[in-house]
Amino acid sequence: MTFGHSRDACGDDWPLVGRERELAALDAVAADVLSGRSRVVQLEGPAGIGKSVLLSTWWERNEQFRVLRARCHPLEREFAFGAVRQLFKPLLAAVSETERARLLEGSAAATLRALDDAAATDPVRPEAADVTASTLRELDVLVSRLSRRQPLLLAVDALQWIDQPSLRWLVHFVGRADSHPVLIAVTTRSGEVKRLDPLFAELVRPANCHTLVLEPLDVSGVRQLVRTLWGAEAPDEGFCAACHAATGGHPLFVRALLHQAQRNGAQPTAEFRDRIPTVLLSTLGGEISHRLCQASGEVVALARALAFLGDRKPPELLAAYCGTGRAVVLSAAEDLRSLGLLRADGDLRLTHPVVRDTVLGTLSPEELGVGHARAAQVSCLSGRPDEEVAAHLLAAGPVHGSWVLPALRRAATQALRRGAPETAVTYLHAALNQPLDLPERARVLLELGTAASHYDAALAISCVTGALEELTDETARSDALGVLAYSLLLSRGSRTDLSSVDRKIAALCDRRTAGSGAADRELALRMTALRSWMEFERPSVGPAPAPAPGTDDDLADRTAGERQLLAIRAFRALRAALPAPYIAGLIERASVNLPAFSHDLFPLHYFVAQTLLYLDELDTADRLNRHLTREISGKGMELLVSSLLLYQAGLALRRGNITEALDTAQAAADQASSAGRPPYALTLDTIRIDALLAQGHIEAAERVAVPHAVAGQAEVAWERPRFLMSLAALRIAQGDLRTGLSLLRECGHHCDAAGTVSPAMSPWRSRAAAAHLALGDVKSAHELAEQELDLARRCRIPRALGVALRVAGTVTRGRQGLDLLAEAVSVLGPTPARLELARALHDFGVALLRQDDRRGARGALREGLDLAVGCGATALATRLGERLHLAGGRVGRSGGQGIRALTAGEERVSTLAAQGYSNRQIAELLVVTLRTVETHLTGTYRKLGITGRPHLAAAMAEAARFRRGSDPADA
């Protein structure tokens, strides 16, 4: 390949020499990518070692790739998706409108939000902060579409200066893009790598990334440069060795040395070998400074403008910074180019980062601050993007002016809309350093707390609590209380005292209740919703004022407040064991076309999700969970992600998918592990205890329970009674029936105090009845079983009714008990409660066996065994197997097999796999972990008796026929 030859000290336009090993390694990585695998390669080395030259030289000779490039800059580390925009904006700008629409089909809103510099600049409000977006996922889709047309090279220079949102997307993509021909090539400067950044470490860890550490040139490489510069076929070996010794083989220093030697009249001969000076970074910087000292004031001003403002800025902006005209800047640029410090290709770009470092290194800290302040002001006046202005403001230190605060707030708004809440918080922290009156400071604190609530509940609580002290506008106070309540929901560790928050909500509600306008009514509804959440979250706060009974018709479903109150009434009706159809009607009105999650809607989604869970509307609940998970994807909302994973684990447990529940609970714990205790840790461990007990792992369940099994809790949250039921189950499994019964009575006390009587939410009576029966207290067992059965018939939720019927059947002997058990099996059959059905079939089979109906017992027990094995409920499967053996049935080594043994999770995963989706695509679609997908597929293969994917489509087709009833044979 032919190269031109620069005559500057620091330029990159020189031949690439001595890099054959690195080029071969890049070729090998590229071969993997061209075969359909995504890969990451890192070129690491000190400044000037030739990382960028190596990368650009390599891709120029590999035309198979479409190259998208980004060059990171120290000032751009706070830009929201700054590197992502450099990668994709030029491409999208160059294609036709039709092609652009095709690339962004279905993802335009999310992708353009990340790429658009002209994002709306409205003030940050709680309802706008969580705009419906899945930026990371949609960027994945864009890259996938591009890579299907042509293998893609994403080249990122100076990764150590990348902005966090772009880095998060790269890590996100690498973790999910195993089947796309995409090569991510990054360069990093040694000594400046952010080794403590977990995202950076994840991207370049050996499992993901092939790292090439660039070493200095050897003597033969220096000889090639000497030969090229002087055109000498056989330069003196001693001269070349002296040049190598003087520079250590560092390419940047070699080029500077050779250029200076040629300018001084040296030749590559023996007589000049002793005249070679040592060149290091300090001497190179001295040479650059020397040249600038010889230049005019206009040239020095332009060099400083380029150092502060960055490369490729318009001449008009540079002229504004220098306080001159455009013509003066262009003339100074020619002089700077003649000094070898500006690129020879016509770009207004310094030849190397070393030049910028040297120019800025000559300035005192005060001069640096003044320079960045001037850069911020001229950028603002010139209409540059607000994030450019904000970057200079952050670097400058305190800068005052009427233009500063609006610029920082606009930059924060843009960052939040692009899915970069950490960046928004950084800008708003800087805004607090401005001279603000108390009302303005309160508004900025509210904006800061809103942004922080995405990922740091403690910071959000601190900021919003401070804002509430000074906010006077009641709508703003309402917004603040919504953000505060949401943040309290997701806060880790010890919870903030909610009584003070409740007093603020009550005061605001009382002041506005008397109003007759629509705004007054909406605010009153919203405050009532928040107080209702607090009453459920911490019963000790005291009951919220209940809406008047029988007034559902006065609530339309048009406003957020009305929908919140409808959801709250549904949840209260659920707790009071009112009929399920009435509750379902309320929740349908509250959730029809459910809007995107936002703080001003909180706690609407919360109560809808909880009500759907206990109504056993698990498919609807699952769709809601996926919808919310997609919305917050890529927005840095780690706490909410953990909570949604926890909800998903609860759904899996309700379906009886024990393995999935355990895996998802572990994923929820892992999601929050980097920042401490996950939200709702007690509920998380309650799910784990129940799942472990179902698997028969009593000792493991005990280890999970120990940290929480403390009597005399100072404050009882709604989680505690649910945990007490699980702890009681553990104690009973350990043989301590009386302790288990005591725990169940305590659970009942808390439920009664909170007004929770529904057996769908707290079936403590049926569990206590079973414990009484085991202790020989038949009378107490009958009383509790009858109470729960009465409540279950009243609430009309099939799962609750089936459980109550089963327990009533076990405490009732004779034909009546058998009829109750048969009814339990009939009621549970159509429900998603597969594990409860298996338990009912066990008890029904035992009762039939007691009546000497061995044939009927075998049928019930075999069906229950298939279900228990499919659920992964090892302990129950073992008991069913023993009873089946006593009934004269044959038990296979692996229990139940065939299509009927598939769990709901296994069937969903296997259906998608049969349609050709990869494991990672299935995990994305179902919002589960990759491990869960693999576990479900392994279980499916075992149960269907197949060896892998090639046979899956036929097996699932058989499943479809079976479900339709076209094949009556027992699968």
Side-chain angles (χ1 to χ4, degrees), residues 663-721:
D663 288 347
T664 309
Q666 187 59 52
D670 293 343
Q671 177 77 26
S673 61
S674 60
R677 184 174 182 264
Y680 291 126
L682 186 58
T683 297
L684 180 68
D685 286 341
T686 298
I687 291 172
R688 295 168 67 189
I689 291 168
D690 287 345
L692 288 168
L693 287 177
Q695 291 182 338
H697 300 319
I698 296 176
E699 292 182 1
E702 176 66 24
R703 288 193 294 272
V704 175
V706 164
H708 306 290
V710 179
Q713 296 288 316
E715 184 176 27
V716 177
W718 67 267
E719 300 172 279
R720 185 73 184 171

Side-chain angles (χ1 to χ4, degrees), residues 88-99:
F88 297 109
K89 281 191 67 178
L91 173 101
L92 294 177
V95 300
S96 66
E97 286 297 324
T98 303
E99 180 70 4

Side-chain angles (χ1 to χ4, degrees), residues 692-758:
L692 288 168
L693 287 177
Q695 291 182 338
H697 300 319
I698 296 176
E699 292 182 1
E702 176 66 24
R703 288 193 294 272
V704 175
V706 164
H708 306 290
V710 179
Q713 296 288 316
E715 184 176 27
V716 177
W718 67 267
E719 300 172 279
R720 185 73 184 171
R722 180 69 184 82
F723 168 75
L724 289 173
M725 284 197 299
S726 297
L727 184 61
L730 173 59
R731 295 290 175 256
I732 291 170
Q734 292 169 332
D736 190 351
L737 290 169
R738 297 193 181 281
T739 299
L741 188 56
S742 175
L743 290 167
L744 288 169
R745 289 187 186 124
E746 184 183 351
C747 169
H749 170 74
H750 291 311
C751 290
D752 290 343
T756 301
V757 298
S758 172

Side-chain angles (χ1 to χ4, degrees), residues 531-762:
R531 294 191 72 191
S532 297
W533 166 76
M534 295 186 67
E535 178 261 333
F536 175 62
E537 177 69 12
R538 286 292 186 272
S540 61
V541 170
T551 58
D552 296 336
D553 292 338
D554 71 348
L555 289 176
D557 47 25
R558 292 186 296 269
T559 71
E562 289 171 339
R563 297 181 119 189
Q564 287 171 334
L565 261 293
L566 285 169
I568 288 166
R569 285 178 174 170
F571 188 70
R572 283 182 170 163
L574 175 71
R575 295 171 69 184
L578 295 185
Y582 167 69
I583 301 169
L586 290 176
I587 212 66
E588 184 177 357
R589 290 174 60 196
S591 59
V592 62
N593 296 321
L594 192 65
F597 173 84
S598 63
H599 293 105
D600 69 322
L601 286 173
F602 180 80
L604 172 59
H605 296 80
Y606 178 91
F607 282 118
V608 168
Q610 291 289 335
T611 305
L612 289 173
L613 180 71
Y614 291 112
L615 275 180
D616 237 23
E617 296 290 345
L618 303 188
D619 289 340
T620 305
D622 193 44
R623 286 193 294 271
L624 172 63
N625 194 56
R626 292 187 209 173
H627 169 66
L628 292 175
T629 302
R630 284 193 296 269
E631 281 187 353
I632 65 172
S633 174
K635 303 192 70 179
M637 301 178 74
E638 291 88 353
L639 301 182
L640 188 51
V641 168
S642 297
S643 295
L644 291 175
L645 279 172
L646 173 63
Y647 186 68
Q648 183 180 326
L651 287 173
L653 189 64
R654 298 280 289 184
R655 291 185 186 276
N657 297 340
I658 304 303
T659 302
E660 180 181 344
L662 272 176
D663 288 347
T664 309
Q666 187 59 52
D670 293 343
Q671 177 77 26
S673 61
S674 60
R677 184 174 182 264
Y680 291 126
L682 186 58
T683 297
L684 180 68
D685 286 341
T686 298
I687 291 172
R688 295 168 67 189
I689 291 168
D690 287 345
L692 288 168
L693 287 177
Q695 291 182 338
H697 300 319
I698 296 176
E699 292 182 1
E702 176 66 24
R703 288 193 294 272
V704 175
V706 164
H708 306 290
V710 179
Q713 296 288 316
E715 184 176 27
V716 177
W718 67 267
E719 300 172 279
R720 185 73 184 171
R722 180 69 184 82
F723 168 75
L724 289 173
M725 284 197 299
S726 297
L727 184 61
L730 173 59
R731 295 290 175 256
I732 291 170
Q734 292 169 332
D736 190 351
L737 290 169
R738 297 193 181 281
T739 299
L741 188 56
S742 175
L743 290 167
L744 288 169
R745 289 187 186 124
E746 184 183 351
C747 169
H749 170 74
H750 291 311
C751 290
D752 290 343
T756 301
V757 298
S758 172
M761 296 185 70
S762 182

Side-chain angles (χ1 to χ4, degrees), residues 18 35 53 153 155 212 223 284 299 463 474 482 567 737 776 828 882 891 955:
S35 69
V53 175
L153 169 62
L212 299 174
R223 185 186 306 113
L284 185 60
V299 172
C463 294
E474 293 182 352
L737 290 169
L828 288 169
E882 292 170 352
V891 182

Side-chain angles (χ1 to χ4, degrees), residues 20-41 58 61-62 64-65 183 210 212:
E20 289 76 15
R21 179 185 66 84
E22 290 83 356
L23 289 170
L26 288 171
D27 286 338
V29 174
D32 274 354
V33 174
L34 293 174
S35 69
R37 294 182 57 197
S38 294
R39 293 294 301 274
V40 181
V41 64
W58 176 78
R61 73 180 198 180
N62 283 272
Q64 302 101 313
F65 288 91
L183 172 59
H210 180 63
L212 299 174

Side-chain angles (χ1 to χ4, degrees), residues 895-930:
Q897 298 293 319
I899 290 168
R900 293 180 66 183
L902 295 184
T903 67
E906 287 169 342
E907 190 166 347
R908 287 196 300 271
V909 167
S910 301
T911 299
L912 291 171
Q915 294 171 3
Y917 289 90
S918 70
N919 288 7
R920 289 192 182 276
Q921 288 172 326
I922 295 170
E924 285 285 324
L925 288 170
L926 298 183
V927 199
V928 297
T929 65
L930 185 60

